[in-house]
Structure formats: C-alpha cells, structure tokens
Amino acid sequence: MMKHENLYKYIIGIADNSLILGQRMGELCGHGPSLETDIACTNISLDLFGQVRSYYQYAAKIAGDNRTEDDIAMLRKEREYVNVLLVEQPNTDFAYIMTRHFLFDMYHYMFLQELQKSQDLTLSAIATKSIKEVSYHLRFSTDWIKRLGDGTEESHSKMQNAIDDLWTYTDELFHLTDADKAMVKAGVGVDVTKLKDTYYTKVSEILQEATLEVPESKYFQKGGKQGIHTEHMGYLLAELQYMQRAYPNMEW
Amino acid sequence: MSEEQIKNLEEQFEARIVRDDKIEPKDWMPEKYRQTHIRQISQHAHSEIVGMLPEGNWITRAPSLRRKVALLAKVQDEGGHGLYLYSAAETLGISRDEMFEQLHSGKAKYSSIFNYPALTWADMGAIGWLVDGAAIINQVALCGTSYGPYARAMVRICKEESFHQRQGYEIMLKLSEGTQEQKDMAQDALNRFWWPSLMMFGPKDDESPHTAQSMKWKLKRKTNDDLRQQFVDQTVPQAELIGLTIPDPDLKWNEDKKGYDFGPIDWDEFWQVVKGHGPCNKERMKARVNAWEEGAWVRDAAMAYAEKQQERKEKQAV
Amino acid sequence: MKKNWPLWEVFVRSKNGLEHRHFGSLHAADADMALENARDVYTRRNEGVSIWVVESKHITASNPEHNGELFEPAQDKVYRHPTFYNLPDEIKHM
C-alpha cells in the first residue's frame, strides 16, 4: 500500500472528471455548430487538460514510483477510472453537450471554491488557478442553456430531453468515497455532501430562467466513483489509450 | 460610369498597387480584383477549416497529454485562421454563409492535401512539418499582398503559426530517436505526405493560368515553381538531420543552381484529387456539411433568443 | 427560419495604458456571445485586458471617394507643426 494512498486516490478522483470531460470536448473540435463555438469549446477542453496535467503530475510525485502523468492518464483499466458517470456521456447533440457541461460546471465551480481552502497547498494552488477557468466555463454553458432553452421550440424540446436524460447522473456528484471521507477529515478534501442543496437550487434557478422544467425524478445512477461505468466508457478509453496500448513503453 | 472613366480608375488602381499602396474594403476596385480575391481568400479559409479534420481525428488518440494539448491548440488555431480569413473575405461583400454554401456544394475548392488520410500518429508529425511548412512559405509571401484585410490576416496567421511546424517536426524528431517501429512509422508518413506536399504549390508555372495577374496584384509574390523549389531546398536537410529519406530517387543537389533537382510530380494524381476523387474528398465534405446542418438549430435558437432578449429590453425601456 | 448571426467588430486593449485597437471581426447572435467569442478567438495568446465589440452595421465609415475633400486640405497646413517656426540656433530644444 502506498504511503499516501488516500491522497493519491483523492487527486485521481478530481482529475479523472476533467480528463474524461476534456476528452469528450476534444472530440468536438472541428465539428461545432459555428466556427466561433468550435474555438470556444476547444478552449474549454484545453483548460481541462491543463488541470488534468497539474493533478496527475502531483499524483505521480506522491506515488513516487516513476509513473508519469501519461501512465496515470492512459494506462489504467476501466475499473480504475473514478470519474463520475455524467462526464463520460456521449456528445449526442449540442443540447447534450451543453447540458452535460452546465451540470458539471456548476458542481466544479462550487467544488473548487472549497478546494481553495484545502490544507494541501498544491491542491489549493491548482484550485485557485483552475477556478478562473471554470468560472468562465460555467458562464459559457449557462448562457447556452438559456439560449437553447428559451430559443426556438425545437431547441427547447432538445434541451428538455437532454436535461431529463442527464439529470439521473447528478446525484453521484455528491457521493463520498472512503478516500474522500479520509481527506475531508484531514482537512484536505471537500465535503461535497454540503454542496448539494445549493447546487440544486442554483441549477434549478437557471433551468427555470431558461424556461425548462426541473426534472422531478428521484431515480439516480451511480458507480463512476467506484469504477463502474456506463457502456460508453470503454469506447472512450479505447481511443484515449490506443497509442499507449498499441505501442507500449515508448516515448512520444 | 463611362468606359473611359472605368479605364481611368483601373489605371489609377494599378498604379496604387505598383506603389505598394494597400487597397481597403471601401476603395474602388475592378470587379475582377474583387472576384479573384473572394475566390482566393475563401479557398484559403476553406483549406484551414477542412484542414482541421485530418488532425482533429487524432486529438482523442494523441499518445501523451503534452501532445494532446499541443495538437488541440494547433487545430484550434486553424479554426481561428479560417475565421480571420472568412472575415477578410466578408469585407469584399460576400457572407460567410455564402462561402460555406460554395464549399458544401463543391463549387469552391480547398487545398487538396487535406483529402489525404491521416492514418498514424506520425502523420501528425508529417502534416505539421511538411504541410504547415509548405503553407508558411506561401503565407509569408502573402503578408505583403495588396488587399489590406487579407494582408493583415496573413500577418496575424504567420505570427500564430510559428509553433505549428515546430510542433510537427518535434513529433518526427522524437519518433526518429525512438524504436525501429517508431522510425518506420515516421518514414512511412514522410513517404505518403512528401509528394502531396509538393503538389500544394499548385501546377507548374507554364500550366498556371492566373499567375501573371496574381503576381501583378501581389496575390502571389513568387511563382509556384519557385516556391516549390524553396520548399524542397529547406526540407531536404531537415529530413537528413533526423535520419529520414525523401522518397525520390531522382533527388540530387545541383551545384549550379544551388538547389536540389527532384523527380517528376504525378500531375494526374494531382488533378484527380483536385477534381474531387482523392481518397477522402467525400468524407471531408460530409464532415463539414454535417457539422453545419446539425448546427443549424443551435444557430437559429441563439438568434431567436437574442431577438427575444432585445424585445424584452425594449419593453422594459418603455 | 433562416437568419444568420450578424457580424461584429472586435477592439482589444492589449494592456492598460494603450488604446483599444481593431483586431478583426466575428459572428455572434448577441453582444454577450460576441464578447465571449472575441475572448476565445482574439485573446488566446494573452493579447488583451479589455474587449469592445460593436455590431458592424452600427459603424459609419467615411467614403474613400471623398478623401480629397476630407483629408487633403490638412496637408498644407504646415503651421500646425513645430518645424514651421524658426528659432535662433542657440536654442536647441523647445
């Protein structure tokens, strides 16, 4: 067992979300609804990968066994990725893409606000840098939720579908793993359970402003944080890991 | 306006270009100048955004996080450059949507190089090194072109692109220092992209009908063959340095001209791809058309929302 | 419905102390989007600290055909420049 196993797991837990969401946004590059939107989405993807690298580099240092950021990013088994299910959902259409983003950004922003106060100085420094980026992501996705929700009939119905479908993945954002609990206790981690009420209040406000119905379903999916993913994950990893798996132990 | 007057204006116009005066959007210009510029600038813009596709393909599969962010940033830049160029063309009185229609209907052309498939990671290296290398040679020459908005876009693009070619060459360098498998991958990419890169400079001078006019308007500062020669001369030593072989048995240093002689280009292949029958012409167009059509409801929604907001504001003001 | 996003002109202040300069244009549905797009398109390399956007149709431009009457009359008003005035050689700077 690693000396700082819980801290390591905690960092991976944060970083995997950004990795998988960044990968999804990266798929979009060159295929967006307008050139301007395309460039904006790529910026978001770049922000997320930047964060990922800071987290994994820190995790690699803690592991202390010569593993690199790329080993962590690309050489784990699917069961070892602990991102939430929300971020791995596919780019079904632009309504899904923006809804997924919005639902995650709101959480991400609130989470980083708290992480800034972490007793772990590296994590708090990463949070302080990232929150500026994420604050912009939230602004960007919130604007799009309003535009699409309160745009045309067609866009409204696509948005409502996306919200209804993705809502089921929101509750998991506020689950605590054992490593999370240990880190909360150590003053390093964020107690995400405390963010939940505010999250739903804020999200609901914006959905209402966007003339969208807040889903009432109480049935939620979970599993990502334990490494049990949706069927989409395998395909995503097949691309992410392709080079490292096909050509092991090489430098690029 | 009488013919006499137009002739007068044209003479003044040509004299301005000779003096290196820039032409700006609202200035009088001959219709042919306008049309030629719309055609060339929009083709250039189309090349940037179609060019996003072969590399965009590899973003999700980049072998390391460092490579992934570099590639993302590069492909994003291409989108930005397309945007600058469309904006420059729009100053001539054509809308971006019209230009997209021309692209999607096959009426407008784009650089044929992007109709070749990007099959391996080494292709990201070859594209950056060779394709961007060739593009830069063209683009640097265009920074001094006569139409102000085009020249300004080119200056900005050249500044931003300085990392693109390096990014590609670094990929090749790393492969050439790697395992045999990696070296083979690099050589294979060079083999596939070398000749199409030479074709990027266009037909031979004696078969290039627009050259004289374009030189006069500074849309071209050097001929196709001159630029091609410059590219070969600059690239051969770069290949040698990293142990790669240019796939041309006729390639030979010519001391008299202080440049390389190189073998014949397969112009049949060139025209086949230009006419729409390259390996990926159909896929590339399909990807662009899909993005545009699937984005229609998004663009419409944003406009509808903007109009509603405007109405609300006006009501509030009353 | 077919209405395209209008064109906007983008002006960027590269750093405090400098004026906003025209950087280029882009398409956006509304002013907020135009600002966001301008940020993403024109300040990717840390080029700005402040952005203005204005819908292109709101710009009134002078007509180059009137350049003669607009700008040439200023050419011979040399008395607006310091070199028009003579100083004794002893005075080096004024």
Side-chain angles (χ1 to χ4, degrees), chain B residues 65-85:
Chain B
L65 292 173
R66 179 173 180 272
R67 292 290 175 212
K68 197 188 283 281
V69 292
L71 186 62
L72 256 170
K74 176 181 188 262
V75 180
Q76 181 193 43
D77 269 354
E78 280 155 13
H81 298 167
L83 194 153
Y84 307 156
L85 290 162

Side-chain angles (χ1 to χ4, degrees), chain B residues 25-279:
Chain B
K26 288 178 76 102
D27 291 349
W28 183 88
M29 60 186 80
E31 197 45 32
K32 195 170 169 218
Y33 181 90
R34 182 186 301 276
Q35 292 309 330
T36 305
H37 275 75
I38 288 178
R39 196 183 65 228
Q40 175 162 335
I41 300 171
S42 65
Q43 269 183 24
H44 196 162
H46 297 328
S47 301
E48 295 281 355
I49 61 159
V50 177
M52 294 171 81
L53 299 170
E55 286 174 293
N57 240 327
W58 277 88
I59 288 169
T60 54
R61 289 179 290 172
S64 72
L65 292 173
R66 179 173 180 272
R67 292 290 175 212
K68 197 188 283 281
V69 292
L71 186 62
L72 256 170
K74 176 181 188 262
V75 180
Q76 181 193 43
D77 269 354
E78 280 155 13
H81 298 167
L83 194 153
Y84 307 156
L85 290 162
Y86 284 124
S87 300
E90 280 183 280
T91 62
L92 290 162
I94 185 169
S95 72
R96 195 196 291 175
D97 303 79
E98 285 173 86
M99 288 184 266
F100 277 166
E101 269 160 37
Q102 292 177 352
L103 173 68
H104 297 163
S105 69
K107 190 180 158 218
K109 299 274 179 262
Y110 55 89
S111 182
S112 278
I113 191 82
F114 303 116
N115 291 317
Y116 290 86
L119 301 174
T120 69
W121 173 250
D123 290 10
M124 296 303 100
I127 291 175
W129 172 36
L130 302 173
V131 176
D132 285 83
I136 290 166
I137 288 182
N138 266 322
Q139 290 173 170
V140 167
L142 282 170
C143 289
T145 191
S146 65
Y147 187 55
Y150 192 27
R152 288 193 287 277
M154 284 328 305
V155 168
R156 198 176 173 90
I157 289 171
C158 285
K159 226 191 266 172
E160 296 191 350
E161 281 207 344
S162 50
F163 92 83
H164 292 188
Q165 195 188 10
R166 276 189 188 207
Q167 180 260 165
Y169 192 64
E170 197 197 75
I171 290 174
M172 295 303 254
L173 172 68
K174 200 79 191 167
L175 291 173
S176 71
E177 293 168 348
T179 62
Q180 190 57 45
E181 218 174 351
Q182 286 174 301
K183 287 179 185 151
D184 293 346
M185 192 192 279
Q187 183 63 51
D188 171 60
L190 172 58
N191 292 351
R192 283 181 290 110
F193 276 95
W194 174 253
W195 291 107
S197 298
L198 294 194
M199 295 176 197
M200 280 178 74
F201 297 96
K204 281 190 291 198
D205 291 346
D206 43 21
E207 285 162 26
S208 178
H210 303 300
T211 296
Q213 180 69 79
S214 294
M215 296 280 277
K216 211 165 97 190
W217 285 339
K218 299 178 180 170
L219 260 175
K220 257 187 190 168
R221 310 305 293 260
K222 288 181 182 171
T223 69
N224 295 354
D225 286 334
D226 285 346
L227 291 170
R228 191 164 15 241
Q229 185 68 49
Q230 187 185 334
F231 175 74
V232 172
D233 292 343
Q234 102 181 18
T235 310
V236 172
Q238 293 168 355
E240 282 170 358
L241 195 69
I242 54 175
L244 294 175
T245 311
I246 303 285
D248 178 0
D250 298 327
L251 187 83
K252 211 170 74 213
W253 178 253
N254 179 333
E255 188 57 34
D256 291 339
K257 73 171 188 188
K258 300 276 177 219
Y260 286 91
D261 291 332
F262 50 93
I265 290 171
D266 181 352
W267 293 110
D268 291 340
E269 177 183 318
F270 173 78
W271 289 112
Q272 179 181 334
V273 183
V274 169
K275 286 178 182 151
H277 307 289

Side-chain angles (χ1 to χ4, degrees), chain C residues 3-15:
Chain C
K3 229 180 206 174
N4 298 321
W5 291 359
L7 192 66
W8 299 73
E9 300 300 323
V10 178
F11 301 82
V12 177
R13 185 201 294 288
S14 333
K15 61 177 190 187

Side-chain angles (χ1 to χ4, degrees), chain B residues 278-294:
Chain B
C280 298
N281 295 57
K282 291 201 173 67
E283 284 90 336
R284 300 292 184 243
M285 252 338 84
K286 210 171 132 199
R288 283 314 316 164
V289 171
N290 276 352
W292 186 243
E293 287 178 354
E294 283 167 17

Side-chain angles (χ1 to χ4, degrees), chain A:
Chain A
M1 181 161 155
M2 206 186 293
K3 193 167 149 217
H4 297 290
E5 179 138 1
N6 279 329
L7 178 58
Y8 180 85
K9 281 187 178 164
Y10 188 68
I11 301 166
I12 300 295
I14 306 170
D16 281 358
N17 288 333
S18 295
L19 173 75
I20 302 303
L21 189 57
Q23 180 80 357
R24 280 287 184 229
M25 290 307 272
E27 287 171 17
L28 195 63
C29 186
H31 306 275
S34 81
L35 211 37
E36 284 83 354
T37 323
D38 216 315
I39 292 168
C41 290
T42 310
N43 264 352
I44 292 176
S45 182
L46 281 167
D47 286 342
L48 291 169
F49 281 121
Q51 296 164 15
V52 166
R53 296 188 68 191
S54 307
Y55 287 125
Y56 285 163
Q57 282 165 11
Y58 182 37
K61 206 171 97 190
I62 286 172
D65 56 1
N66 294 329
R67 77 181 77 176
T68 66
E69 53 170 1
D70 293 323
D71 296 337
I72 302 177
M74 298 174 184
L75 285 175
R76 281 177 288 156
K77 300 279 188 278
E78 178 172 331
R79 287 287 269 110
E80 293 162 340
Y81 285 84
V82 289
N83 55 281
V84 292
L85 301 177
L86 175 66
V87 294
E88 72 201 43
Q89 298 312 304
N91 296 342
T92 308
D93 64 20
F94 200 67
Y96 274 80
I97 293 168
M98 281 302 115
T99 304
R100 183 185 62 203
H101 235 287
F102 169 66
L103 293 174
F104 183 72
D105 292 343
M106 182 64 86
Y107 159 81
H108 200 187
Y109 180 76
M110 294 170 64
F111 172 80
L112 290 174
Q113 264 183 330
E114 295 305 311
L115 190 65
Q116 284 182 301
K117 302 172 201 157
S118 171
Q119 308 232 341
D120 184 300
L121 295 182
T122 309
L123 283 182
S124 102
I126 298 174
T128 302
K129 180 174 173 290
S130 306
I131 198 164
K132 294 187 190 115
E133 297 168 342
V134 172
S135 164
Y136 185 77
H137 302 174
L138 178 59
R139 172 177 157 168
F140 182 82
S141 58
T142 302
D143 282 353
W144 273 107
I145 296 294
K146 293 185 205 163
R147 280 188 197 110
L148 299 179
D150 192 15
T152 61
E153 247 173 70
E154 184 185 6
S155 72
H156 178 86
S157 91
K158 281 182 194 280
M159 276 303 298
Q160 192 64 56
N161 278 342
I163 281 281
D164 291 346
D165 280 2
L166 293 171
W167 194 255
T168 189
Y169 301 112
T170 52
D171 189 65
E172 189 192 13
L173 291 164
F174 308 101
H175 293 194
L176 287 172
T177 64
D178 291 341
D180 293 345
K181 284 177 197 156
M183 284 299 104
V184 171
K185 214 169 148 197
V188 169
V190 176
D191 185 352
V192 288
T193 58
K194 290 187 180 149
L195 305 177
K196 189 168 167 177
D197 289 346
T198 320
Y199 173 86
Y200 281 111
T201 310
K202 286 190 173 175
V203 165
S204 302
E205 274 170 19
I206 289 171
L207 292 184
Q208 277 157 6
E209 200 186 327
T211 72
L212 294 161
E213 304 244 347
V214 180
E216 280 173 11
S217 167
K218 295 276 181 275
Y219 298 104
F220 294 105
Q221 302 299 320
K222 60 174 196 261
K225 288 188 175 181
Q226 309 299 334
I228 301 168
H229 293 276
T230 55
E231 288 180 349
H232 306 294
M233 187 68 172
Y235 297 98
L236 184 148
L237 291 182
E239 288 192 26
L240 178 69
Q241 301 191 340
Y242 168 66
M243 288 299 291
Q244 290 280 348
R245 296 288 181 198
Y247 305 92
N249 304 317
M250 296 183 201
E251 303 244 340
W252 302 96

